[in-house]
Amino acid sequence: MLTISRLAAYAGVTVRAVRHYHRIGLLPEPVRDRSGYRTYDAVAVVRLIRIRTLADAGVPLARVQELLDAGPEEFADGVQEIDKALRAEIRRLQDTRGRLARLAAGEHLALPQSVVDYLDRLRGLGVEERYIEMERDAWIMIAAQVPHSIDAVIAKKHQELDDPDTVKLYGLLSGALDWPADDPRIVEVADIMERLMVRAVEAGDAGADDGIDDQFVDLMDATMVESSPHAARLLAILEERGWKGWTRIERVPAAGLKTELPPS
């Protein structure tokens, strides 16, 4: 007859595991002998090995009892059912790992792939990471407001990047974070933006039909002004020329457009 420690050793488990199997009813607990010890026989060793084998194979302990008592056909059906559940769990865990890997990249947190690709394109153009972080935070808010149309918005942004003026504008804005407050290049930024806005008006792409409410536009504009020491000056220059806004740029009716634009 075997002590609990010897039983555990023969079956390749711990004494703690044996006691746990006693508590949940998987392994019958023998009565104590005259000396007050519980002793086990070969039947207990075999059952414990079967329990350990099933548990090591991934069978939930709640199902082990059912399989131990099942006939060959029931056992096979039970194993197939457990295998199906395990495969589903594996797929779920793989999806979770994929999401975690994307989150580790930073931009994928709350951003669709289309926006991430756009930010990567900006990096490829040499835009500084500090500016890209500002863009990323803005796109997180925009994507949450217009989740169903964000891919179309980004597709349009990609088209805009085919314009040399847009690329030049990004290059200037990227470096503007370190410019002095009175840097004359702010006027150059305003010139480029004005050319782009005139083209947008001519193409019928300007206006408020963007699915974003006015309060959110005000929030985005205020965030932009707070993030850059030059933003307020740039907006003032543009308003003098007949434009207002940043997130949603529109003509100022009373001012009108300039008749002569700076050369490209």
Side-chain angles (χ1 to χ4, degrees), residues 127-144:
V127 177
E128 292 185 10
E129 197 64 31
R130 288 182 300 164
Y131 187 85
I132 288 178
E133 289 175 1
M134 293 168 54
E135 281 249 344
R136 178 199 62 204
D137 291 346
W139 284 116
I140 286 175
M141 292 190 286
I142 294 173

Side-chain angles (χ1 to χ4, degrees), residues 63-258:
R63 301 289 306 275
V64 167
Q65 181 72 55
E66 171 191 336
L67 293 181
L68 286 174
D69 298 336
E73 185 174 342
E74 293 175 330
F75 184 88
D77 291 343
V79 168
Q80 288 181 359
E81 182 181 338
I82 293 169
D83 180 65
K84 181 179 179 180
L86 286 174
R87 283 187 277 114
E89 179 65 9
I90 289 170
R91 288 193 296 272
R92 186 190 69 79
L93 292 173
Q94 288 173 334
D95 289 342
T96 299
R97 289 192 65 205
R99 288 194 296 270
L100 288 173
R102 292 192 295 273
L103 289 176
E107 260 99 47
H108 287 84
L109 181 61
L111 278 180
Q113 185 62 46
S114 60
V115 179
V116 175
D117 292 342
Y118 178 72
L119 295 177
D120 284 341
R121 184 174 177 186
L122 294 183
R123 289 188 178 92
L125 294 173
V127 177
E128 292 185 10
E129 197 64 31
R130 288 182 300 164
Y131 187 85
I132 288 178
E133 289 175 1
M134 293 168 54
E135 281 249 344
R136 178 199 62 204
D137 291 346
W139 284 116
I140 286 175
M141 292 190 286
I142 294 173
Q145 296 298 308
V146 289
H148 301 299
S149 59
I150 186 63
D151 288 349
V153 173
I154 290 298
K156 187 172 182 299
K157 294 294 292 183
H158 276 291
Q159 292 176 358
E160 293 173 1
L161 281 180
D162 294 332
D163 188 324
D165 265 344
T166 302
V167 175
K168 186 176 182 180
L169 176 63
Y170 265 114
L172 289 168
L173 292 175
S174 174
L177 298 175
D178 296 322
W179 292 352
D182 59 348
D183 196 296
R185 285 174 289 184
I186 293 297
V187 176
E188 184 180 2
V189 171
D191 292 342
I192 296 174
M193 290 187 65
E194 187 174 11
R195 289 199 296 270
L196 293 172
M197 289 185 287
V198 168
R199 292 172 199 162
V201 169
E202 292 173 345
D205 294 333
D209 186 20
D210 50 22
I212 301 176
D213 61 58
D214 293 341
Q215 187 175 8
F216 182 76
V217 170
D218 292 341
L219 171 64
M220 294 289 290
D221 285 357
T223 301
M224 189 277 295
V225 170
E226 293 171 0
S227 65
S228 172
H230 311 290
R233 181 185 171 205
L234 177 59
L235 291 177
I237 293 173
L238 289 172
E239 189 159 354
E240 289 176 358
R241 299 182 180 187
W243 304 95
K244 67 175 182 178
W246 179 268
T247 306
R248 179 193 293 148
I249 301 175
E250 301 173 293
R251 292 183 63 178
V252 179
L257 291 172
K258 291 175 60 177

